[in-house]
């Protein structure tokens, strides 16, 4: 018997990442412009980097509290009031190694074998594997371009989500750039209450909305006690490599997540926590500058697709647009574009049902490269 014979069935049933397969193809091509990476092209704000350096020079290299530095939790508690959220830094916030760890902790803390986890799709690629690794049964809930990829009650009903135990939300959305308003979330909240679901709300792109303020389902009546909110520093603060996120929820929920966290991770990276603390204290202007630049790029990309006659709803959040593949075959289009024009996009089908026939285009790259990439796309579709 070999090691391969001992691999968990839960691991075996999860396919390799479709994004990774496509990036491996792109790595074989010279002169590639990648519009596929879900990562800011900016560096973390200088004040945050300086705080990290200073913490190292002062020898701040020990573990922190399992839940994270109290100063940081206090700063997070104060910051999220801008979204109408109120959480006690003592027992309702936990700092994690990236928002991805927070999501994983929630799956492991709240999903039992056979629990049904409703996941609106297209969605971030880690939700379905995370549910499977925890023993859950993922239930795809397709969303649609005609609804601007918003989650609706009709979509929940059609998917049979009334039988689910957990509902995952991600707005502003990766991969579509979709956002939801308070009124639209109220409809989802009513469904959640009616069918007694737990909500896992990934709000990592909360600061990257371009036409209105962020709305959170956790602020709706009856939702706070049944919602775990995830956020972090990777996207708005361009701190992806520092791996720092956080989760907020009722004390018993954070206690359960901390129980997993203390055995799996012990504490989030100390240096990153000092950087995050300074980011919250003094980097709002830097975040706003990045947000304005993303918005400029967003409007440019949407306008170019419109000029090409490529259908694309108006994404209003994150740093993605999600146009239709001109010939309907997203994988063939993405591979052909890469082969003939050296531009890398991500086929929408890798993000689950609802993503087929679309392409994820990230505008987290320079305007110079965006202009060149859009010219190459136009040349490809014009052939």
């Amino acid at each position: 018997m070999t090691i391969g014979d001992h691999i968990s069935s839960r691991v075996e049933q999860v396919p390799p990442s479709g994004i990774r397969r496509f990036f491996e193809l792109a790595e074989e091509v010279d002169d590639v412009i990648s519009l596929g990476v879900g990562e800011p092209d900016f560096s973390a704000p200088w004040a945050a980097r300086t705080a990290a350096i200073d913490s190292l020079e002062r020898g701040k290299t020990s573990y922190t509290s399992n839940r994270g530095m109290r100063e940081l939790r206090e700063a997070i508690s104060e910051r999220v009031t801008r979204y109408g959220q109120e959480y006690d830094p003592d027992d309702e916030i936990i700092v994690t190694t990236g928002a991805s760890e927070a999501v994983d902790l929630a799956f492991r803390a709240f999903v039992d074998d056979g629990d049904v986890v409703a996941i609106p799709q297209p969605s971030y690629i880690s939700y379905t594997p995370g549910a499977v690794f925890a023993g859950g049964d993922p239930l795809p809930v397709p969303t649609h371009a005609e609804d601007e990829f918003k989650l609706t009650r009709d979509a929940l009903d059609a998917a049979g989500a009334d039988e689910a135990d957990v509902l995952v939300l991600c707005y502003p959305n990766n991969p579509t750039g979709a956002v939801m308003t308070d009124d639209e979330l109220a409809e989802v909240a009513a469904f959640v209450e009616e069918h007694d679901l737990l909500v896992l709300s990934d709000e990592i792109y909360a600061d990257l909305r371009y036409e209105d303020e962020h709305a959170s389902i956790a602020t709706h009546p009856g939702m706070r006690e049944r919602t775990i909110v995830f956020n972090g520093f990777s996207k708005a603060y361009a701190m992806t490599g520092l791996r720092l996120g956080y989760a907020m929820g009722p004390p018993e929920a954070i206690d359960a997540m901390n129980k997993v966290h203390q055995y799996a991770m012990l504490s989030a990276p100390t240096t990153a926590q000092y950087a995050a603390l300074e980011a919250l204290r003094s980097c709002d202007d830097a975040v706003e500058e990045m947000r304005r630049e993303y918005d400029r790029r967003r409007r440019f990309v949407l306008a170019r697709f419109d000029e090409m006659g490529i259908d694309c709803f108006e994404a209003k959040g994150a740093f993605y647009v999600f146009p239709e593949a001109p010939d309907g075959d997203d994988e063939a289009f993405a591979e052909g574009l890469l082969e003939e024009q050296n531009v890398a996009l991500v086929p929408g089908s890798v993000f689950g049902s609802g993503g087929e026939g679309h392409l994820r285009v990230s505008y987290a790259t320079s305007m110079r490269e965006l202009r060149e990439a859009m010219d190459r796309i136009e040349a490809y579709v014009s052939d």
Side-chain angles (χ1 to χ4, degrees):
M1 185 173 276
T2 66
I3 289 178
D5 297 315
H6 293 277
I7 294 174
S8 160
S9 61
R10 291 179 183 175
V11 172
E12 294 226 310
Q13 69 178 292
V14 173
S17 165
I19 290 181
R20 177 46 47 198
R21 184 191 74 82
F22 198 75
F23 283 170
E24 286 172 355
L25 290 176
E27 287 170 0
E28 299 173 4
V29 179
D30 294 329
D31 187 33
V32 168
I33 298 176
S34 177
L35 305 184
V37 178
E39 174 175 41
D41 60 311
F42 300 102
S43 296
W46 178 243
R49 285 181 278 157
T50 299
I53 294 167
D54 180 64
S55 75
L56 290 171
E57 290 180 338
R58 290 186 293 122
K60 301 294 186 180
T61 56
S62 301
Y63 296 127
T64 69
S65 160
N66 291 145
R67 295 174 186 239
M69 290 164 34
R70 192 176 195 287
E71 269 189 300
L72 177 56
R73 285 181 280 128
E74 288 175 341
I76 291 168
S77 178
E78 181 178 349
R79 171 51 54 93
V80 299
T81 58
R82 65 172 55 181
Y83 311 132
Q85 298 167 341
E86 294 185 5
Y87 292 95
D88 189 326
D90 286 328
D91 56 10
E92 294 187 321
I93 298 174
I94 183 171
V95 179
T96 57
T97 305
S100 293
E101 191 214 349
V103 173
D104 183 61
L105 293 178
F107 280 135
R108 290 198 277 168
F110 304 116
V111 176
D112 279 324
D113 288 350
D115 280 356
V116 176
V117 181
I119 304 174
Q121 294 186 345
S123 68
Y124 176 52
I125 59 170
S126 292
Y127 300 143
T128 294
V132 170
F133 293 151
D137 293 331
L139 174 68
V141 181
T143 60
H144 308 285
E146 55 266 32
D147 298 317
E148 297 187 342
F149 294 103
K150 300 172 187 283
L151 180 61
T152 65
R153 178 155 191 142
D154 286 346
L156 289 163
D157 285 329
D162 57 316
E163 298 296 324
D165 300 285
V166 177
L167 172 64
V168 177
L169 292 179
C170 177
Y171 291 96
N173 183 262
N174 176 8
T176 66
V179 300
M180 291 187 68
T181 65
D182 263 325
D183 288 344
E184 291 159 346
L185 287 170
E187 183 180 86
V188 176
F191 180 93
V192 166
E193 276 212 291
E194 181 180 340
H195 299 292
D196 194 27
L197 276 62
L198 172 71
V199 178
L200 307 181
S201 185
D202 186 347
E203 302 179 15
I204 188 69
Y205 293 98
D207 282 328
L208 298 179
R209 287 183 68 144
Y210 305 109
E211 296 195 0
D212 51 20
E213 297 297 319
H214 176 62
S216 172
I217 196 170
T219 64
H220 285 257
M223 287 296 105
R224 189 183 189 281
E225 57 265 36
R226 62 170 72 243
T227 302
I228 314 299
V229 176
F230 311 113
N231 208 327
F233 298 87
S234 291
K235 308 301 182 179
Y237 293 92
M239 289 167 55
T240 50
L242 293 181
R243 308 309 305 129
L244 206 74
Y246 54 92
M248 305 178 294
E252 61 271 25
I254 299 303
D255 283 345
M257 293 172 65
N258 189 46
K259 186 180 292 186
V260 182
H261 174 70
Q262 66 188 357
Y263 290 117
M265 192 64 61
L266 202 148
S267 64
T270 301
T271 306
Q273 292 190 55
Y274 280 101
L277 179 58
E278 186 59 33
L280 291 174
R281 286 174 170 170
S282 68
C283 296
D284 283 358
D285 288 347
V287 171
E288 177 57 19
E289 184 178 344
M290 289 186 277
R291 192 196 67 81
R292 285 197 301 265
E293 177 59 17
Y294 288 137
D295 189 27
R296 184 170 78 102
R297 299 171 186 179
R298 176 184 72 96
R299 289 182 279 110
F300 169 76
V301 170
L302 288 170
R304 287 298 304 271
F305 279 132
D306 184 59
E307 291 169 4
M308 294 179 213
I310 295 176
D311 289 333
C312 184
F313 87 100
E314 187 182 357
K316 298 177 182 178
F319 36 60
Y320 313 104
V321 296
F322 207 63
E324 293 185 11
D327 57 3
D329 187 333
D330 54 297
E331 291 203 10
F333 183 91
E335 291 186 14
L337 179 66
L338 177 62
E339 182 179 333
E340 295 188 24
Q341 293 291 339
N342 296 0
V343 175
L345 311 177
V346 181
S349 54
V350 308
F351 301 102
S353 52
E356 300 91 343
H358 290 79
L359 303 155
R360 191 185 78 171
V361 178
S362 169
Y363 47 86
T365 191
S366 70
M367 278 296 291
R368 180 184 62 80
E369 290 208 325
L370 277 178
R371 289 190 181 96
E372 176 63 24
M374 299 307 288
D375 286 346
R376 295 183 188 185
I377 294 171
E378 184 172 20
Y380 181 68
V381 299
S382 298
D383 283 347

